Amino acid sequence: MSSSPWFMCDGTESEPGPAARVYCFPHAGGNPRSFLGWQSDLAGVAEIAGLCPPGRGNRYREPALTDVAELADAVAHEISATADRPFVLFGHSFGAVLAFEVARRIGHLPDFRHLVASGCSAPSLLPTRRVVEAARLEGREFTEAVGFFGGLPPEVMADESLQELLLPNLRADFRMVAGYAYRPAAPLSVPVTLINGTDDPHISEAGLQPWERECLRPPVRHRAEGGHFYFDGRSRTVTDILRSLLPAAPGAGQPGDWHVELI
């Protein structure tokens, strides 16, 4: 993946590398580098590739895409052109919406094995009113509105100069999600897994149920202890599940080192 500007990898795996890959899609305003810390959990099993679209990370000079469908088209094209081994898509929050839309576009690829949607209500229910309202706000009002979702350090919440420096990407992503237009389509043929925190304040049972209409088979559902960012400091809540989904993964099976409730 070193030849693709769209995905960041940590570069520790030697050629030809592991037999599988996990494409990771960040939450709104998220840093693709945050996924690279998961690589050690999946050493020898899969390569972690964090999505870095135009306008983000080392591509900050490129014009950012502002439409979910347009971004999904571009990511799907890049994966179709570069996928060289079995792979899984993992997306969290906004990243799960984007991963879902990409999955719709690449369902024909034989190496596409699984979609994992984390911290996200069913796409047919999005955008939520809270997201739409937050996307209209500026300055301190925006910061306070998105604080509901978690993930903003206290020092950022308290310092307006830090907010101006760090939150433009978050604001842009909220506006992108607010403009998301779900369209009914054929259900996904690949298996789908949903992961959500037990204390996530904005993911309800009613919000998850319509995911079943997006899949040929009912999605497997996991509940992990914690809130919206249940995996902060506990990467294996996700990587143990990913390991169990990867082809011929050593030690594949039910995750066991962290409490995960299978629904």
Side-chain angles (χ1 to χ4, degrees), residues 8-13 33 35-40 47-50:
M8 291 183 175
C9 302
D10 77 352
T12 60
E13 296 286 355
R33 291 188 183 277
F35 294 114
L36 302 188
W38 297 2
Q39 185 62 72
S40 59
E47 177 185 54
I48 291 286

Side-chain angles (χ1 to χ4, degrees), residues 12-212:
T12 60
E13 296 286 355
S14 59
E15 294 296 332
R21 179 176 294 125
V22 180
Y23 293 100
C24 295
F25 295 67
H27 60 276
N31 186 342
R33 291 188 183 277
S34 63
F35 294 114
L36 302 188
W38 297 2
Q39 185 62 72
S40 59
D41 292 350
L42 296 174
V45 176
E47 177 185 54
I48 291 286
L51 175 67
C52 183
R56 305 299 168 88
N58 56 9
R59 306 182 70 189
Y60 70 95
R61 294 183 182 275
E62 301 177 45
L65 300 178
T66 59
D67 178 76
V68 173
E70 183 182 8
L71 181 54
D73 286 342
V75 177
H77 179 270
E78 187 67 14
I79 290 177
S80 298
T82 60
D84 56 1
R85 65 196 74 181
F87 65 88
V88 169
L89 303 185
F90 170 87
H92 181 69
S93 200
F94 163 62
V97 180
L98 181 57
F100 165 74
E101 288 292 338
V102 172
R104 282 180 153 187
R105 290 157 169 77
I106 62 172
H108 62 286
L109 296 181
D111 282 335
F112 181 24
R113 302 300 172 84
H114 213 102
L115 168 66
V116 181
S118 167
C120 187
S121 296
S124 59
L125 303 180
L126 303 177
T128 65
R129 194 164 98 180
R130 186 182 290 271
V131 167
V132 172
E133 291 174 351
R136 295 173 178 156
L137 301 176
E138 298 284 351
R140 183 68 190 177
E141 288 184 331
F142 173 77
T143 305
E144 292 176 352
V146 301
F148 166 80
F149 297 92
L152 290 180
E155 59 270 23
V156 174
M157 292 291 295
D159 189 328
E160 291 189 6
S161 61
L162 277 178
Q163 293 165 25
E164 289 302 312
L165 178 66
L166 299 177
L167 297 189
N169 287 343
L170 178 61
R171 189 177 297 110
D173 283 348
F174 262 74
R175 289 172 178 166
M176 193 186 307
V177 178
Y180 174 62
Y182 170 84
R183 292 177 174 82
L188 298 175
S189 58
V190 298
V192 176
T193 290
L194 308 178
I195 315 175
N196 292 280
T198 55
D199 301 320
D200 191 329
H202 60 282
I203 303 294
S204 66
E205 175 62 28
L208 294 175
Q209 192 64 35
W211 268 107
E212 297 197 4

